């Protein structure tokens, strides 16, 4: 509370590799006292039941899929999007594909996300070293994705050590 009173913070972000592995701790902490800021949850979407447990404490849930094999995790991530939609939470699907992820692969996930929730924002982060200003692939991808879903964004990630992912 003291830190929130000193600065203009946007929200408290709960993230990491698997924060919902500690869902009971988070639930107890949030119920012990109302947090002074909105809560954003950033997860891989593999524990939709954890989102269900915490939904009354959350303002935003962000489901982040990373790497080249995004399909492997997509089914449970889509269930997490449905939980967010049903709970009327603001929610987003973030795709951070690896170098080997194909456009067809990404478009399939955009289509699945649209099927799970028409109201989610979809953010695509190209790999760090991708020259999107000289690569027509990303312009074409964003055009095709926007034809499938109304809210698709392309956003650059900051490389380490500045960025955290």
């Amino acid at each position: 509370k003291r830190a929130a009173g000193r600065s203009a913070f946007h929200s408290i972000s709960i993230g990491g590799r698997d924060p919902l592995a500690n869902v009971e701790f988070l639930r107890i902490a949030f119920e012990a006292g109302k947090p002074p800021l909105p809560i954003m949850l950033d997860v891989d979407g593999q524990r939709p039941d954890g989102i269900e447990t915490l939904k009354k404490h959350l303002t935003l849930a962000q489901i982040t899929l990373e790497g080249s094999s995004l399909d492997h995790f997509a089914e449970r991530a889509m269930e997490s999007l449905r939980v967010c939609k049903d709970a009327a939470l603001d929610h987003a699907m973030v795709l951070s594909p690896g170098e080997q992820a194909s456009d067809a692969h990404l478009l399939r996930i955009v289509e699945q996300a649209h099927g799970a929730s028409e109201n989610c924002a979809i953010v695509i982060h190209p790999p760090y070293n991708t020259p999107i200003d000289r690569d027509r692939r990303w312009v074409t991808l964003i055009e095709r994705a926007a034809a499938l879903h109304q809210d698709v964004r392309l956003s650059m990630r900051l490389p380490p050590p500045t960025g955290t992912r």
Side-chain angles (χ1 to χ4, degrees):
K1 286 182 182 181
R2 183 175 39 192
R6 291 182 188 172
S7 299
F9 292 104
H10 175 268
S11 60
I12 297 170
S13 178
I14 307 297
R17 278 289 157 211
D18 189 11
L20 292 179
N22 299 302
V23 72
E24 284 306 308
F25 168 79
L26 292 170
R27 183 187 59 75
I28 291 167
F30 295 150
E31 289 176 358
K34 181 171 172 27
L37 296 168
I39 306 243
M40 181 191 101
L41 179 68
D42 181 8
V43 294
D44 62 4
Q46 300 309 294
R47 296 181 189 257
D49 53 326
I51 296 171
E52 179 72 31
T53 299
L54 296 177
K55 67 185 178 185
K56 68 181 180 181
H57 305 289
L58 303 174
T59 303
L60 170 67
Q62 176 174 292
I63 312 302
T64 302
L65 296 179
E66 296 180 283
S68 295
S69 59
L70 303 176
D71 272 343
H72 180 70
F73 299 103
E75 185 177 332
R76 292 190 62 80
M78 298 311 151
E79 179 59 31
S80 292
L81 282 180
R82 283 188 279 280
V83 168
C84 294
K85 178 182 113 180
D86 293 345
L89 286 174
D90 285 339
H91 53 287
M93 169 66 70
V94 176
L95 303 176
S96 295
E99 299 282 338
Q100 304 304 317
S102 70
D103 291 359
H105 194 159
L106 294 170
L107 291 169
R108 185 170 47 251
I109 292 173
V110 169
E111 189 173 45
Q112 291 171 349
H114 179 77
S117 174
E118 293 179 4
N119 297 323
C120 74
I122 297 176
V123 180
I124 302 172
H125 293 298
Y128 298 120
N129 58 352
T130 302
I132 64 167
D133 60 332
R134 296 184 303 267
D135 188 347
R136 181 88 179 123
R137 172 195 180 195
W138 295 99
V139 173
T140 303
L141 176 67
I142 202 73
E143 288 172 349
R144 292 177 65 199
L148 297 171
H149 187 76
Q150 68 181 359
D151 188 358
V152 179
R153 307 164 193 192
L154 187 69
S155 179
M156 298 303 294
R157 292 186 297 173
L158 297 176
T162 305
T164 57
R165 287 195 176 198

